[in-house]
Amino acid sequence: MSHSAATTVERRPARRSLASSPCKQTPTGERLRDANAEDLLTIPFSYRILGICALLRDLDGESFTQSLRKSSLARMHLMQQRSAQAPLPHHVLAISKDTGFIAALAAGDIDTETRIAEHSPRAVIDGAEYEEDFLFYHFQQRMLSTPTNQAELQGIIDRWTRVEEGEATAYITICQALLEQNAASFCSALDAVLEMHKEQLRRYGKQADFDRELAATEGKVYLNGLALVRLAQSLKLAVPERPELIPRRAHEASCPPLPEDAWLRP
């Protein structure tokens, strides 16, 4: 697996953060609403970081979930712009670069994640993402949008296996377990996914571009793993009680539904 699906930590976008954005100074949020695509790529990521900080520093599961929901609502706004025929750069559209969808899934916000999936591209964007990364997220999106279309879902996994040259990676195995609704296989595959992720975190700590702030947040709570757990729970599968890097408080957390424009108000 390459970058995104098996990433060490989600890379910080090379743009201003939500906290430093001058858009935040406008109480009405109109400047945020009219933000360009680059800003709207940064905002979901920033909300993820705010949510993880609330979880790790304050043990505040509700604020964690609320921030993740705001992350997903910002992404949904961006995808609705696309649906309105607004031109968007390829790297913004690429679903393997989308931090908002995983935030929605990790928050258990089925409605928003399904709507994001419906608006998302259904083909890999050449030059903007790796196909194996695309297929990881595409499978999850189609699992939500068309859960009964077994042939389509198995076709995604079969294509993914061919891209991986026949290797059944931990990510393929866990998605196959979700498709088959096999709780034992899911738990075993989750252990393998987490071990792989921990090894990547160790390698990331030795890289020249190591970011301490990012490692202290995204490196402590594995949102991709939490999203997989939430997806399994939505299928009524038994999941491990205390998986590493997925705090119990995180996957038991909830918050009331938010209005669609809640992301405009940090």
Side-chain angles (χ1 to χ4, degrees), residues 45 64 90 136 159 171 181 193 212 228:
F45 177 84
F64 167 73
H90 282 175
F136 173 64
R159 170 60 188 173
Y171 291 90
Q181 298 192 29
V193 165
R212 290 183 180 277
L228 289 166

Side-chain angles (χ1 to χ4, degrees), residues 105-218:
L105 193 48
D109 187 352
I110 300 294
D111 178 64
T112 302
E113 65 202 30
T114 302
R115 293 169 69 186
I116 292 173
E118 289 171 351
H119 289 301
S120 294
R122 298 188 185 181
V124 62
I125 298 179
D126 292 335
E129 59 187 340
Y130 293 97
E131 186 174 4
E132 57 265 44
D133 295 341
F134 163 79
L135 291 167
F136 173 64
Y137 295 102
H138 183 54
F139 174 84
Q140 292 174 83
Q141 291 192 344
R142 303 318 298 161
M143 191 87 185
L144 289 163
S145 299
T146 57
T148 60
N149 193 335
Q150 298 284 302
E152 179 192 26
L153 293 167
Q154 187 61 58
I156 294 170
I157 291 178
D158 291 345
R159 170 60 188 173
W160 187 1
T161 303
R162 290 194 296 274
V163 170
E164 294 283 7
E165 300 180 344
E167 179 186 357
T169 68
Y171 291 90
I172 291 175
T173 302
I174 202 167
C175 289
Q176 186 72 57
L178 288 169
L179 178 59
E180 295 172 358
Q181 298 192 29
N182 186 320
S185 293
F186 175 84
C187 292
S188 176
L190 181 62
D191 286 342
V193 165
L194 293 174
E195 284 301 317
M196 181 184 296
H197 185 64
K198 287 190 295 179
E199 176 57 31
Q200 290 165 339
L201 286 172
R202 286 190 286 270
R203 291 201 302 267
Y204 176 63
K206 299 177 182 178
Q207 292 178 194
D209 63 348
F210 175 72
D211 185 324
R212 290 183 180 277
E213 292 182 6
L214 203 55
T217 50
E218 292 269 359

Side-chain angles (χ1 to χ4, degrees), residues 105 174 178 186 190 224-234 237 239-240 243 246 251:
L105 193 48
I174 202 167
L178 288 169
F186 175 84
L190 181 62
N224 274 346
L226 174 56
L228 289 166
V229 166
R230 290 282 202 179
L231 188 51
Q233 290 175 322
S234 75
L237 298 183
V239 297
I246 307 174
H251 68 80

